[in-house]
Amino acid sequence: MTARRRSVQLGALGAGAAAALFLGATQASPAAASPAGATQVPTVVGYTGWDTSLGGVTHEYFAPSCGDVFRGSVTSSDGSGDVVARIDSFTMTCDEGVTVAPHSLGWTFTSTSGGRSFTLAGIDLDITTSQGTCRYTGSVQGTEDDQGLYFMTGTLDRQSAGCGGDPQITVTDPEQVVGIPD
């Protein structure tokens, strides 16, 4: 079973809720509950438990650990897992007193190699620490491992001052789950 059809427990969500979120979001066919004649747009969804690390956000010894969920409508697909999607929903919950919210959405998700790798570009976040809020922008990349999970890494550049964070932070997640419709 690939990451496209796999679900894992999400930090605050139980396994059943995470599976429903994941499987319901990647369906390419009309849902049974859809009104007659309506079709459901295929979506990409990605999530993790508390595995996402934001290195450089604070000057503490430990980087905050975060859980994230992103989703967006597929805008093009070749039918083999190579898709482009517009990310229009994002949430992230972190420890260490760090909060993260989208500054703007419309990020671009692009999967390649039959869905074995992806890029999430146009990321635009407001990250708040005890020292203030800064805006960070950039992109992350993910590569599928032999377990069907994605190793995700990338950098975000600070666009404003006043939060005490580094000029560039590192995003790392060894177990990002991404649902890519075929």
Side-chain angles (χ1 to χ4, degrees):
M1 180 181 310
T2 68
R4 286 176 245 191
R5 301 291 174 240
R6 168 185 233 166
S7 64
V8 297
Q9 187 169 350
L10 226 188
L13 293 177
L21 167 76
F22 182 70
L23 294 174
T26 60
Q27 297 298 316
S29 60
S34 295
T39 58
Q40 187 178 24
V41 175
T43 58
V44 166
V45 63
Y47 60 88
T48 188
W50 286 90
D51 296 328
T52 303
S53 171
L54 300 177
V57 169
T58 65
H59 294 295
E60 305 290 324
Y61 179 71
F62 296 104
S65 293
C66 307
D68 64 85
V69 177
F70 63 83
R71 70 175 64 236
S73 301
V74 171
T75 58
S76 68
S77 173
D78 72 354
S80 69
D82 289 355
V83 303
V84 176
R86 183 183 191 296
I87 302 301
D88 51 21
S89 174
F90 174 81
T91 59
M92 180 174 268
T93 305
C94 300
D95 62 7
E96 306 291 324
V98 173
T99 60
V100 178
H103 184 83
S104 67
L105 287 168
W107 310 344
T108 303
F109 175 93
T110 306
S111 67
T112 56
S113 302
R116 297 196 191 288
S117 61
F118 72 85
T119 299
L120 186 55
I123 295 173
D124 190 354
L125 299 172
D126 290 326
I127 300 177
T128 303
T129 69
S130 61
Q131 296 182 3
T133 301
C134 280
R135 181 178 178 193
Y136 285 89
T137 61
S139 63
V140 296
Q141 298 75 39
T143 304
E144 189 176 25
D145 65 17
D146 60 354
Q147 300 297 310
L149 300 172
Y150 289 83
F151 179 80
M152 184 179 75
T153 187
T155 57
L156 304 177
D157 296 315
R158 190 177 67 208
Q159 302 300 316
S160 61
C163 62
D166 290 347
Q168 189 174 71
I169 62 172
T170 303
V171 179
T172 308
D173 188 337
E175 296 181 340
Q176 185 79 28
V177 175
V178 180
I180 304 169
D182 292 328

